[in-house]
Amino acid sequence: MSHSVMLPEWAPCRAVLLAWPYPGGDWASNYTEVVESYWGILAAIARAAPVWVLVHPSLDFSGFNAELEARVIEGVVKVRNDIHYDDTWIRDYGPISCSKKLMSFTFDGWGGKYCAKADNQVALSLSDWLLFQPRSVDFVCEGGGLEVNAEQVLLANEECVIDTKRNPKLHKEDVQNILREYLGVKEFAWLQGICLTGDDTDGHIDTIARFAPAGKTGCAVIYSGRNTLHHDASVLQSLHQQITVLAARWGWEVFELPTPIALSKVDGRLLPATYANFLICNDCVFAPVYHLPEDDAALAVLKRAFPTFEIVPVYCAPLLEQHGSLHCATMQVSTLAL
C-alpha cells in the first residue's frame, strides 16, 4: 500500500496549469469569446498562485506573449508552446497532486469519445516545470472524476470511474484497490446515476459535488441543488438524496448550490451549467459565474461554505458551450507534491 495520498484541493498550491484554446480545436463556434474568458481566468488566478500556460504549437506564440504583456497581469505567468494537446480540459489529463509525488493516469477521451493521444502525454511532458516526472499508471481515470477530503474519503460518481469503456477488465473492487494503492484512498463515497444533460464525462464529480474544509466536523460538501423547472430535475433530486445520506454517514456539513438553466448562445441547446465547478487555490475560491440570475445566490452559498476564503467570481459562460467550466479548465499543482 502507498504511503502517498491524493491531496485535497485546499492543500497549498504551487501553480495552476491552463491549456489555451486554439482555433483548430473544439472552440470554432465561439473562439473569440472563450479566449477572452480564459484571459479572465488567467488574470484572476495569477493573483493567488503562479499560472503555467500551455500554448498550442499551432498558435502565434509571439502574438500570445505580446498580448500577455499588454494586459499587464499581476503575478507570475509562465508560458510554453512545445507541448501538443488535443483538448483544453487539462483537469482530466493533468498531473494529480499527491503527497510527495504526482500521478498521471491514462486519459482516453472520456471512454474513447474523443481523440486524446496528445492529451495523454501532457503530464509526462511537464517534468521540467514540475521538477520531476509524474508516476504513470496504466489505469484510465480523469482528475475531474475524483474528489477527496483530508480524511482520504473519495467522493465520486460510479459511472465515470467504474466504467467498462474506460477500463473494460476491471470490476468495482479492482478499481477501488487501484485507488487505494495509488491515491491512498481510505473510504469510498460513491454516487450513482448522476449526469447532467450534455455532460460528455458521464458525470464527473467536479460538476456536481465538492468538498470544503469547513463546518463543525472539519468537512463540508457543496453540491448542485434541486431545480424543479430544470430538464434534469429528477437527477438533481436524486443527487440531493444521495448527498444527504452520505453527509449523515460521515457527519459532513451540507451546502446546496442553485442549479441554473443555461441555453447555448450558438444553437439553443441545454448546457450542463454548474456552480460546483469552482477552483480552490490557496486562500481563494474561484467561482464560475454565467451572467445568470442565480449567480449571486451561488456566490453567497460558497461564502458560507468557505468562510475563511476569498470568493472570486470569474465569468465562464463561453466554456459551457463545450460542456465544461472553470475547474475543468484548470489543474492545480500542490507544493506538497514535492
Side-chain angles (χ1 to χ4, degrees), residues 254-295:
V254 174
F255 295 91
E256 185 173 4
L257 289 162
T259 299
I261 297 171
L263 302 177
S264 168
K265 293 179 181 175
V266 176
D267 58 16
R269 73 192 186 285
L270 181 70
L271 299 174
T274 167
Y275 295 106
N277 206 244
F278 53 81
L279 172 72
I280 309 168
C281 177
N282 293 329
D283 59 353
C284 294
V285 174
F286 295 97
V289 292
Y290 309 112
H291 293 174
L292 292 172
E294 292 87 354
D295 285 356

mmCIF file of all heavy atoms in Angstrom, residues 254-295:
data_model
loop_
_atom_site.group_PDB
_atom_site.id
_atom_site.type_symbol
_atom_site.label_atom_id
_atom_site.label_comp_id
_atom_site.label_asym_id
_atom_site.label_seq_id
_atom_site.Cartn_x
_atom_site.Cartn_y
_atom_site.Cartn_z
ATOM 1 N N VAL A 254 -23.600 20.384 4.971
ATOM 2 C CA VAL A 254 -24.124 20.348 3.605
ATOM 3 C C VAL A 254 -24.493 21.754 3.126
ATOM 4 O O VAL A 254 -25.137 22.519 3.854
ATOM 5 C CB VAL A 254 -25.363 19.425 3.532
ATOM 6 C CG1 VAL A 254 -26.003 19.486 2.158
ATOM 7 C CG2 VAL A 254 -24.971 17.987 3.857
ATOM 8 N N PHE A 255 -24.091 22.077 1.895
ATOM 9 C CA PHE A 255 -24.435 23.354 1.273
ATOM 10 C C PHE A 255 -24.986 23.076 -0.131
ATOM 11 O O PHE A 255 -24.325 22.430 -0.948
ATOM 12 C CB PHE A 255 -23.207 24.267 1.181
ATOM 13 C CG PHE A 255 -22.674 24.694 2.523
ATOM 14 C CD1 PHE A 255 -21.689 23.944 3.165
ATOM 15 C CD2 PHE A 255 -23.169 25.824 3.156
ATOM 16 C CE1 PHE A 255 -21.201 24.323 4.404
ATOM 17 C CE2 PHE A 255 -22.690 26.213 4.392
ATOM 18 C CZ PHE A 255 -21.704 25.472 5.022
ATOM 19 N N GLU A 256 -26.188 23.582 -0.394
ATOM 20 C CA GLU A 256 -26.873 23.321 -1.674
ATOM 21 C C GLU A 256 -26.776 24.553 -2.573
ATOM 22 O O GLU A 256 -27.289 25.619 -2.236
ATOM 23 C CB GLU A 256 -28.336 22.962 -1.405
ATOM 24 C CG GLU A 256 -29.105 22.562 -2.647
ATOM 25 C CD GLU A 256 -30.505 22.047 -2.324
ATOM 26 O OE1 GLU A 256 -30.905 22.083 -1.131
ATOM 27 O OE2 GLU A 256 -31.200 21.617 -3.268
ATOM 28 N N LEU A 257 -26.119 24.393 -3.698
ATOM 29 C CA LEU A 257 -25.989 25.460 -4.689
ATOM 30 C C LEU A 257 -27.228 25.520 -5.584
ATOM 31 O O LEU A 257 -27.867 24.490 -5.823
ATOM 32 C CB LEU A 257 -24.770 25.222 -5.577
ATOM 33 C CG LEU A 257 -23.388 25.416 -4.957
ATOM 34 C CD1 LEU A 257 -22.331 24.717 -5.803
ATOM 35 C CD2 LEU A 257 -23.064 26.902 -4.824
ATOM 36 N N PRO A 258 -27.549 26.699 -6.119
ATOM 37 C CA PRO A 258 -28.581 26.740 -7.159
ATOM 38 C C PRO A 258 -28.060 26.052 -8.429
ATOM 39 O O PRO A 258 -26.855 26.022 -8.668
ATOM 40 C CB PRO A 258 -28.799 28.239 -7.391
ATOM 41 C CG PRO A 258 -27.525 28.882 -6.961
ATOM 42 C CD PRO A 258 -26.977 28.034 -5.848
ATOM 43 N N THR A 259 -28.960 25.475 -9.183
ATOM 44 C CA THR A 259 -28.595 24.909 -10.486
ATOM 45 C C THR A 259 -29.350 25.683 -11.562
ATOM 46 O O THR A 259 -30.578 25.586 -11.654
ATOM 47 C CB THR A 259 -28.934 23.413 -10.569
ATOM 48 O OG1 THR A 259 -28.203 22.707 -9.556
ATOM 49 C CG2 THR A 259 -28.568 22.843 -11.938
ATOM 50 N N PRO A 260 -28.635 26.466 -12.362
ATOM 51 C CA PRO A 260 -29.305 27.330 -13.332
ATOM 52 C C PRO A 260 -29.697 26.588 -14.613
ATOM 53 O O PRO A 260 -29.170 25.513 -14.908
ATOM 54 C CB PRO A 260 -28.242 28.384 -13.637
ATOM 55 C CG PRO A 260 -26.949 27.624 -13.537
ATOM 56 C CD PRO A 260 -27.164 26.623 -12.412
ATOM 57 N N ILE A 261 -30.602 27.170 -15.348
ATOM 58 C CA ILE A 261 -30.934 26.688 -16.692
ATOM 59 C C ILE A 261 -30.207 27.599 -17.673
ATOM 60 O O ILE A 261 -30.489 28.792 -17.759
ATOM 61 C CB ILE A 261 -32.450 26.725 -16.939
ATOM 62 C CG1 ILE A 261 -33.156 25.776 -15.965
ATOM 63 C CG2 ILE A 261 -32.775 26.363 -18.391
ATOM 64 C CD1 ILE A 261 -34.667 25.891 -15.961
ATOM 65 N N ALA A 262 -29.227 27.033 -18.366
ATOM 66 C CA ALA A 262 -28.420 27.808 -19.316
ATOM 67 C C ALA A 262 -28.568 27.192 -20.697
ATOM 68 O O ALA A 262 -28.410 25.986 -20.876
ATOM 69 C CB ALA A 262 -26.956 27.820 -18.884
ATOM 70 N N LEU A 263 -28.843 28.047 -21.673
ATOM 71 C CA LEU A 263 -29.011 27.590 -23.059
ATOM 72 C C LEU A 263 -27.866 28.110 -23.919
ATOM 73 O O LEU A 263 -27.366 29.214 -23.717
ATOM 74 C CB LEU A 263 -30.347 28.071 -23.623
ATOM 75 C CG LEU A 263 -31.595 27.636 -22.844
ATOM 76 C CD1 LEU A 263 -32.845 28.237 -23.477
ATOM 77 C CD2 LEU A 263 -31.699 26.113 -22.775
ATOM 78 N N SER A 264 -27.478 27.299 -24.886
ATOM 79 C CA SER A 264 -26.391 27.669 -25.785
ATOM 80 C C SER A 264 -26.723 28.930 -26.581
ATOM 81 O O SER A 264 -27.835 29.078 -27.104
ATOM 82 C CB SER A 264 -26.114 26.523 -26.765
ATOM 83 O OG SER A 264 -25.258 26.947 -27.805
ATOM 84 N N LYS A 265 -25.738 29.824 -26.663
ATOM 85 C CA LYS A 265 -25.894 31.014 -27.496
ATOM 86 C C LYS A 265 -25.619 30.702 -28.958
ATOM 87 O O LYS A 265 -25.856 31.518 -29.837
ATOM 88 C CB LYS A 265 -24.951 32.113 -27.005
ATOM 89 C CG LYS A 265 -25.335 32.636 -25.622
ATOM 90 C CD LYS A 265 -24.382 33.701 -25.132
ATOM 91 C CE LYS A 265 -24.800 34.179 -23.745
ATOM 92 N NZ LYS A 265 -23.841 35.136 -23.162
ATOM 93 N N VAL A 266 -25.120 29.485 -29.218
ATOM 94 C CA VAL A 266 -24.818 29.068 -30.589
ATOM 95 C C VAL A 266 -26.017 28.372 -31.232
ATOM 96 O O VAL A 266 -26.428 28.699 -32.336
ATOM 97 C CB VAL A 266 -23.585 28.139 -30.620
ATOM 98 C CG1 VAL A 266 -23.330 27.619 -32.036
ATOM 99 C CG2 VAL A 266 -22.360 28.856 -30.080
ATOM 100 N N ASP A 267 -26.615 27.401 -30.496
ATOM 101 C CA ASP A 267 -27.710 26.635 -31.108
ATOM 102 C C ASP A 267 -28.901 26.392 -30.168
ATOM 103 O O ASP A 267 -29.797 25.628 -30.503
ATOM 104 C CB ASP A 267 -27.189 25.303 -31.648
ATOM 105 C CG ASP A 267 -26.537 24.442 -30.575
ATOM 106 O OD1 ASP A 267 -26.743 24.726 -29.377
ATOM 107 O OD2 ASP A 267 -25.813 23.494 -30.936
ATOM 108 N N GLY A 268 -28.897 27.029 -28.987
ATOM 109 C CA GLY A 268 -30.054 26.960 -28.111
ATOM 110 C C GLY A 268 -30.206 25.715 -27.270
ATOM 111 O O GLY A 268 -31.161 25.590 -26.505
ATOM 112 N N ARG A 269 -29.268 24.750 -27.379
ATOM 113 C CA ARG A 269 -29.401 23.508 -26.599
ATOM 114 C C ARG A 269 -29.138 23.777 -25.111
ATOM 115 O O ARG A 269 -28.476 24.738 -24.744
ATOM 116 C CB ARG A 269 -28.445 22.441 -27.122
ATOM 117 C CG ARG A 269 -26.982 22.681 -26.792
ATOM 118 C CD ARG A 269 -26.055 21.769 -27.575
ATOM 119 N NE ARG A 269 -24.661 21.896 -27.156
ATOM 120 C CZ ARG A 269 -23.865 22.911 -27.461
ATOM 121 N NH1 ARG A 269 -24.310 23.920 -28.195
ATOM 122 N NH2 ARG A 269 -22.606 22.936 -27.041
ATOM 123 N N LEU A 270 -29.647 22.887 -24.267
ATOM 124 C CA LEU A 270 -29.417 22.988 -22.830
ATOM 125 C C LEU A 270 -27.955 22.656 -22.531
ATOM 126 O O LEU A 270 -27.420 21.665 -23.027
ATOM 127 C CB LEU A 270 -30.329 22.015 -22.078
ATOM 128 C CG LEU A 270 -30.213 22.032 -20.553
ATOM 129 C CD1 LEU A 270 -30.780 23.334 -19.983
ATOM 130 C CD2 LEU A 270 -30.937 20.826 -19.947
ATOM 131 N N LEU A 271 -27.324 23.489 -21.704
ATOM 132 C CA LEU A 271 -25.921 23.290 -21.341
ATOM 133 C C LEU A 271 -25.818 22.823 -19.886
ATOM 134 O O LEU A 271 -26.631 23.222 -19.048
ATOM 135 C CB LEU A 271 -25.141 24.593 -21.520
ATOM 136 C CG LEU A 271 -25.107 25.157 -22.941
ATOM 137 C CD1 LEU A 271 -24.435 26.525 -22.956
ATOM 138 C CD2 LEU A 271 -24.383 24.195 -23.885
ATOM 139 N N PRO A 272 -24.802 21.993 -19.573
ATOM 140 C CA PRO A 272 -24.637 21.500 -18.201
ATOM 141 C C PRO A 272 -23.975 22.551 -17.303
ATOM 142 O O PRO A 272 -22.826 22.397 -16.864
ATOM 143 C CB PRO A 272 -23.761 20.257 -18.371
ATOM 144 C CG PRO A 272 -22.958 20.529 -19.599
ATOM 145 C CD PRO A 272 -23.839 21.354 -20.506
ATOM 146 N N ALA A 273 -24.686 23.621 -17.023
ATOM 147 C CA ALA A 273 -24.151 24.723 -16.216
ATOM 148 C C ALA A 273 -24.182 24.350 -14.739
ATOM 149 O O ALA A 273 -25.193 23.865 -14.241
ATOM 150 C CB ALA A 273 -24.956 25.991 -16.453
ATOM 151 N N THR A 274 -23.076 24.590 -14.055
ATOM 152 C CA THR A 274 -22.988 24.240 -12.641
ATOM 153 C C THR A 274 -22.066 25.206 -11.921
ATOM 154 O O THR A 274 -21.034 25.621 -12.460
ATOM 155 C CB THR A 274 -22.471 22.797 -12.459
ATOM 156 O OG1 THR A 274 -22.106 22.595 -11.100
ATOM 157 C CG2 THR A 274 -21.279 22.518 -13.340
ATOM 158 N N TYR A 275 -22.445 25.543 -10.699
ATOM 159 C CA TYR A 275 -21.596 26.382 -9.851
ATOM 160 C C TYR A 275 -20.654 25.532 -9.000
ATOM 161 O O TYR A 275 -19.802 26.074 -8.295
ATOM 162 C CB TYR A 275 -22.458 27.261 -8.945
ATOM 163 C CG TYR A 275 -23.280 28.277 -9.701
ATOM 164 C CD1 TYR A 275 -24.655 28.119 -9.857
ATOM 165 C CD2 TYR A 275 -22.686 29.397 -10.278
ATOM 166 C CE1 TYR A 275 -25.422 29.051 -10.549
ATOM 167 C CE2 TYR A 275 -23.432 30.336 -10.977
ATOM 168 C CZ TYR A 275 -24.797 30.154 -11.105
ATOM 169 O OH TYR A 275 -25.540 31.086 -11.808
ATOM 170 N N ALA A 276 -20.797 24.212 -9.069
ATOM 171 C CA ALA A 276 -19.907 23.333 -8.312
ATOM 172 C C ALA A 276 -18.527 23.240 -8.945
ATOM 173 O O ALA A 276 -17.593 22.710 -8.326
ATOM 174 C CB ALA A 276 -20.525 21.932 -8.200
ATOM 175 N N ASN A 277 -18.365 23.773 -10.148
ATOM 176 C CA ASN A 277 -17.114 23.653 -10.879
ATOM 177 C C ASN A 277 -16.129 24.774 -10.521
ATOM 178 O O ASN A 277 -15.505 25.381 -11.371
ATOM 179 C CB ASN A 277 -17.397 23.622 -12.389
ATOM 180 C CG ASN A 277 -16.342 22.898 -13.188
ATOM 181 O OD1 ASN A 277 -15.658 23.482 -14.015
ATOM 182 N ND2 ASN A 277 -16.192 21.601 -12.956
ATOM 183 N N PHE A 278 -16.017 25.041 -9.215
ATOM 184 C CA PHE A 278 -15.109 26.084 -8.732
ATOM 185 C C PHE A 278 -13.707 25.513 -8.511
ATOM 186 O O PHE A 278 -13.511 24.293 -8.434
ATOM 187 C CB PHE A 278 -15.640 26.694 -7.426
ATOM 188 C CG PHE A 278 -15.956 25.695 -6.342
ATOM 189 C CD1 PHE A 278 -14.962 25.168 -5.527
ATOM 190 C CD2 PHE A 278 -17.264 25.270 -6.124
ATOM 191 C CE1 PHE A 278 -15.246 24.245 -4.530
ATOM 192 C CE2 PHE A 278 -17.569 24.348 -5.113
ATOM 193 C CZ PHE A 278 -16.551 23.833 -4.327
ATOM 194 N N LEU A 279 -12.724 26.411 -8.397
ATOM 195 C CA LEU A 279 -11.335 26.040 -8.131
ATOM 196 C C LEU A 279 -10.908 26.618 -6.788
ATOM 197 O O LEU A 279 -11.040 27.825 -6.558
ATOM 198 C CB LEU A 279 -10.410 26.583 -9.231
ATOM 199 C CG LEU A 279 -8.903 26.430 -8.969
ATOM 200 C CD1 LEU A 279 -8.468 24.972 -9.092
ATOM 201 C CD2 LEU A 279 -8.095 27.313 -9.924
ATOM 202 N N ILE A 280 -10.402 25.759 -5.899
ATOM 203 C CA ILE A 280 -9.834 26.213 -4.628
ATOM 204 C C ILE A 280 -8.333 26.388 -4.840
ATOM 205 O O ILE A 280 -7.650 25.454 -5.278
ATOM 206 C CB ILE A 280 -10.077 25.193 -3.502
ATOM 207 C CG1 ILE A 280 -11.551 24.797 -3.428
ATOM 208 C CG2 ILE A 280 -9.598 25.746 -2.165
ATOM 209 C CD1 ILE A 280 -11.820 23.588 -2.531
ATOM 210 N N CYS A 281 -7.821 27.575 -4.532
ATOM 211 C CA CYS A 281 -6.397 27.849 -4.750
ATOM 212 C C CYS A 281 -5.889 28.746 -3.636
ATOM 213 O O CYS A 281 -6.228 29.931 -3.578
ATOM 214 C CB CYS A 281 -6.193 28.486 -6.118
ATOM 215 S SG CYS A 281 -4.484 28.937 -6.472
ATOM 216 N N ASN A 282 -5.084 28.171 -2.764
ATOM 217 C CA ASN A 282 -4.550 28.884 -1.607
ATOM 218 C C ASN A 282 -5.687 29.493 -0.787
ATOM 219 O O ASN A 282 -6.558 28.769 -0.337
ATOM 220 C CB ASN A 282 -3.471 29.863 -2.040
ATOM 221 C CG ASN A 282 -2.235 29.100 -2.572
ATOM 222 O OD1 ASN A 282 -1.956 27.984 -2.121
ATOM 223 N ND2 ASN A 282 -1.511 29.671 -3.517
ATOM 224 N N ASP A 283 -5.764 30.789 -0.633
ATOM 225 C CA ASP A 283 -6.830 31.348 0.223
ATOM 226 C C ASP A 283 -8.015 31.858 -0.586
ATOM 227 O O ASP A 283 -8.819 32.641 -0.093
ATOM 228 C CB ASP A 283 -6.277 32.466 1.110
ATOM 229 C CG ASP A 283 -5.663 33.596 0.293
ATOM 230 O OD1 ASP A 283 -5.555 33.454 -0.944
ATOM 231 O OD2 ASP A 283 -5.287 34.620 0.888
ATOM 232 N N CYS A 284 -8.131 31.406 -1.835
ATOM 233 C CA CYS A 284 -9.217 31.862 -2.716
ATOM 234 C C CYS A 284 -10.048 30.684 -3.226
ATOM 235 O O CYS A 284 -9.542 29.578 -3.391
ATOM 236 C CB CYS A 284 -8.652 32.602 -3.932
ATOM 237 S SG CYS A 284 -7.826 34.159 -3.543
ATOM 238 N N VAL A 285 -11.318 30.978 -3.470
ATOM 239 C CA VAL A 285 -12.173 30.066 -4.230
ATOM 240 C C VAL A 285 -12.599 30.823 -5.479
ATOM 241 O O VAL A 285 -13.279 31.854 -5.403
ATOM 242 C CB VAL A 285 -13.409 29.629 -3.426
ATOM 243 C CG1 VAL A 285 -14.356 28.807 -4.304
ATOM 244 C CG2 VAL A 285 -12.991 28.820 -2.207
ATOM 245 N N PHE A 286 -12.157 30.327 -6.623
ATOM 246 C CA PHE A 286 -12.524 30.955 -7.902
ATOM 247 C C PHE A 286 -13.822 30.312 -8.390
ATOM 248 O O PHE A 286 -13.866 29.114 -8.660
ATOM 249 C CB PHE A 286 -11.386 30.793 -8.908
ATOM 250 C CG PHE A 286 -10.145 31.528 -8.484
ATOM 251 C CD1 PHE A 286 -9.112 30.861 -7.835
ATOM 252 C CD2 PHE A 286 -10.036 32.899 -8.665
ATOM 253 C CE1 PHE A 286 -7.991 31.537 -7.399
ATOM 254 C CE2 PHE A 286 -8.913 33.586 -8.237
ATOM 255 C CZ PHE A 286 -7.885 32.906 -7.605
ATOM 256 N N ALA A 287 -14.871 31.128 -8.443
ATOM 257 C CA ALA A 287 -16.219 30.629 -8.677
ATOM 258 C C ALA A 287 -16.692 30.989 -10.080
ATOM 259 O O ALA A 287 -16.699 32.166 -10.452
ATOM 260 C CB ALA A 287 -17.174 31.227 -7.644
ATOM 261 N N PRO A 288 -17.110 30.008 -10.872
ATOM 262 C CA PRO A 288 -17.632 30.329 -12.198
ATOM 263 C C PRO A 288 -18.980 31.041 -12.100
ATOM 264 O O PRO A 288 -19.845 30.629 -11.326
ATOM 265 C CB PRO A 288 -17.784 28.966 -12.871
ATOM 266 C CG PRO A 288 -18.013 28.020 -11.731
ATOM 267 C CD PRO A 288 -17.197 28.562 -10.584
ATOM 268 N N VAL A 289 -19.133 32.100 -12.853
ATOM 269 C CA VAL A 289 -20.424 32.779 -12.967
ATOM 270 C C VAL A 289 -20.759 32.919 -14.448
ATOM 271 O O VAL A 289 -19.875 32.868 -15.312
ATOM 272 C CB VAL A 289 -20.434 34.154 -12.260
ATOM 273 C CG1 VAL A 289 -20.328 33.985 -10.747
ATOM 274 C CG2 VAL A 289 -19.327 35.055 -12.778
ATOM 275 N N TYR A 290 -22.052 33.101 -14.734
ATOM 276 C CA TYR A 290 -22.524 32.999 -16.115
ATOM 277 C C TYR A 290 -23.414 34.163 -16.546
ATOM 278 O O TYR A 290 -24.063 34.082 -17.582
ATOM 279 C CB TYR A 290 -23.292 31.676 -16.274
ATOM 280 C CG TYR A 290 -22.514 30.474 -15.777
ATOM 281 C CD1 TYR A 290 -22.925 29.771 -14.638
ATOM 282 C CD2 TYR A 290 -21.361 30.049 -16.432
ATOM 283 C CE1 TYR A 290 -22.213 28.674 -14.173
ATOM 284 C CE2 TYR A 290 -20.641 28.949 -15.975
ATOM 285 C CZ TYR A 290 -21.069 28.273 -14.850
ATOM 286 O OH TYR A 290 -20.347 27.190 -14.388
ATOM 287 N N HIS A 291 -23.460 35.228 -15.753
ATOM 288 C CA HIS A 291 -24.390 36.339 -16.002
ATOM 289 C C HIS A 291 -25.833 35.828 -16.018
ATOM 290 O O HIS A 291 -26.633 36.194 -16.877
ATOM 291 C CB HIS A 291 -24.050 37.079 -17.299
ATOM 292 C CG HIS A 291 -22.742 37.821 -17.241
ATOM 293 N ND1 HIS A 291 -22.197 38.458 -18.338
ATOM 294 C CD2 HIS A 291 -21.858 38.022 -16.224
ATOM 295 C CE1 HIS A 291 -21.049 39.011 -17.987
ATOM 296 N NE2 HIS A 291 -20.814 38.762 -16.711
ATOM 297 N N LEU A 292 -26.123 34.965 -15.048
ATOM 298 C CA LEU A 292 -27.467 34.420 -14.868
ATOM 299 C C LEU A 292 -28.023 34.880 -13.525
ATOM 300 O O LEU A 292 -27.259 35.241 -12.621
ATOM 301 C CB LEU A 292 -27.421 32.886 -14.920
ATOM 302 C CG LEU A 292 -27.076 32.259 -16.278
ATOM 303 C CD1 LEU A 292 -26.876 30.762 -16.136
ATOM 304 C CD2 LEU A 292 -28.160 32.565 -17.302
ATOM 305 N N PRO A 293 -29.337 34.853 -13.351
ATOM 306 C CA PRO A 293 -29.937 35.327 -12.091
ATOM 307 C C PRO A 293 -29.452 34.577 -10.855
ATOM 308 O O PRO A 293 -29.462 35.132 -9.755
ATOM 309 C CB PRO A 293 -31.442 35.088 -12.308
ATOM 310 C CG PRO A 293 -31.628 35.069 -13.776
ATOM 311 C CD PRO A 293 -30.374 34.498 -14.356
ATOM 312 N N GLU A 294 -29.003 33.341 -11.020
ATOM 313 C CA GLU A 294 -28.571 32.534 -9.869
ATOM 314 C C GLU A 294 -27.149 32.843 -9.399
ATOM 315 O O GLU A 294 -26.710 32.327 -8.355
ATOM 316 C CB GLU A 294 -28.667 31.037 -10.211
ATOM 317 C CG GLU A 294 -30.071 30.510 -10.392
ATOM 318 C CD GLU A 294 -30.602 30.678 -11.814
ATOM 319 O OE1 GLU A 294 -29.905 31.315 -12.647
ATOM 320 O OE2 GLU A 294 -31.707 30.186 -12.094
ATOM 321 N N ASP A 295 -26.405 33.660 -10.149
ATOM 322 C CA ASP A 295 -25.001 33.912 -9.818
ATOM 323 C C ASP A 295 -24.823 34.390 -8.376
ATOM 324 O O ASP A 295 -23.994 33.856 -7.625
ATOM 325 C CB ASP A 295 -24.401 34.967 -10.759
ATOM 326 C CG ASP A 295 -24.096 34.439 -12.156
ATOM 327 O OD1 ASP A 295 -24.282 33.228 -12.398
ATOM 328 O OD2 ASP A 295 -23.679 35.255 -13.007
#
